[in-house]
Amino acid sequence: MKLVILGGSGSGKSTQAERLCKYFEVPLISTGEILREAIFGKKSDNGSGELNELGRLSQPYVEKGELVPDEMMIEFIKVRLNQEDVKCGWILEGYPRTAFQAEELDFLLDSLEQKLNWAIYLQVAEAVMVSRSLGRSLPDDQPEIVQRRVELFYDRTVPILEYYDRRRRLLTINGDYSPEQVQHNILTLLG
C-alpha cells in the first residue's frame, strides 16, 4: 500500500498516518517529523546523514512557518524512498504540499517503478485546524505561525487536490470525526 495523506495543520493527518501504518504494516514517511528532528537536534532514527543535512538547510523556512523549497523536499523524498524499508509500501505524510511536488513525486515513483495507490485528503474546517494545532504545543506551533500555515495550506493545496482528482487517485474524508471513526471511514473506502 502506497498512500499520501493530505490535510492542513491539525487535520489529524499524523494520527491517521500512524494508524494506517500500523494497520498495513508499512513505514511512515513524515516530512514534518524528520524536519523537526533534524532541526531540533534529535537524531533521525534511520541514521541518514543526507537527511540530517537537508534538515539543517531547511531550518530557516520551518522557523518562519514557510514551506521548504520544492527542490529540497524532492531531494529529501528521493533519499527516503530509496531506503530498504520502504520496498513493500509506505505512507507519506506532509508531502506533497504543492501541485508541482505532486507531479514530481509521480515522476520519482515512475523512476523507482512504484505507483501511488491513493491520496487521502482529510477535510476539516479552518477553525478546527487552528484550534487543534494550538492544542498540541509543538515547538513551532505559535498562533501566528499556525495561522500562516493554514493560509498557505489553502493557497497551495487546492491545486494538489485537483491534480489527484484528475488522475482518479483522490479520496476525500471528513476529518471532523473521532480518530477511530476517521480511520474506519478511510479503510472502508480503501476496501
Side-chain angles (χ1 to χ4, degrees), residues 19-177:
R19 285 168 166 266
L20 293 168
C21 283
K22 284 196 184 84
Y23 185 86
F24 291 113
E25 298 180 349
V26 295
L28 171 63
I29 303 175
S30 164
T31 53
E33 199 45 49
I34 296 177
L35 287 174
R36 264 194 288 273
E37 282 175 6
I39 289 165
F40 294 108
K42 294 187 211 85
K43 261 312 215 197
S44 189
D45 61 359
N46 55 26
S48 168
E50 242 174 316
L51 292 181
N52 287 328
E53 180 55 30
L54 283 166
R56 274 191 293 284
L57 294 173
S58 60
Q59 184 165 4
Y61 303 96
V62 177
E63 285 174 345
K64 290 192 202 80
E66 298 292 336
L67 292 178
V68 174
D70 286 338
E71 305 70 51
M72 244 185 243
M73 290 309 296
I74 289 159
E75 192 51 41
F76 164 70
I77 298 298
K78 191 158 102 191
V79 170
R80 188 64 188 90
L81 287 180
N82 272 303
Q83 292 173 336
E84 209 42 53
D85 63 334
V86 296
K87 295 279 185 271
C88 299
W90 39 262
I91 294 177
L92 190 49
E93 185 249 310
Y95 184 93
R97 289 194 175 195
T98 63
F100 175 72
Q101 288 179 353
E103 208 170 354
E104 286 295 313
L105 177 62
D106 277 346
F107 290 138
L108 175 60
L109 292 175
D110 280 348
S111 74
L112 297 170
E113 294 178 4
Q114 296 186 28
K115 198 169 171 55
L116 181 71
N117 296 97
W118 293 104
I120 297 171
Y121 172 48
L122 300 176
Q123 195 169 32
V124 295
E126 184 172 343
V128 174
M129 276 198 247
V130 172
S131 68
R132 282 183 184 171
S133 294
L134 292 175
R136 61 183 185 189
S137 60
L138 290 167
D140 51 345
D141 277 344
Q142 275 84 38
E144 59 284 359
I145 292 179
V146 167
Q147 195 57 52
R148 177 84 185 110
R149 279 204 301 249
V150 168
E151 286 162 19
L152 268 175
F153 168 75
Y154 282 111
D155 290 351
R156 312 270 172 107
T157 303
V158 172
I160 302 184
L161 301 180
E162 289 166 353
Y163 175 87
Y164 283 124
D165 196 36
R166 280 197 308 273
R167 283 159 183 73
R168 294 183 169 65
R169 290 252 179 285
L170 184 68
L171 293 180
T172 300
I173 304 277
N174 183 335
D176 286 340
Y177 298 112

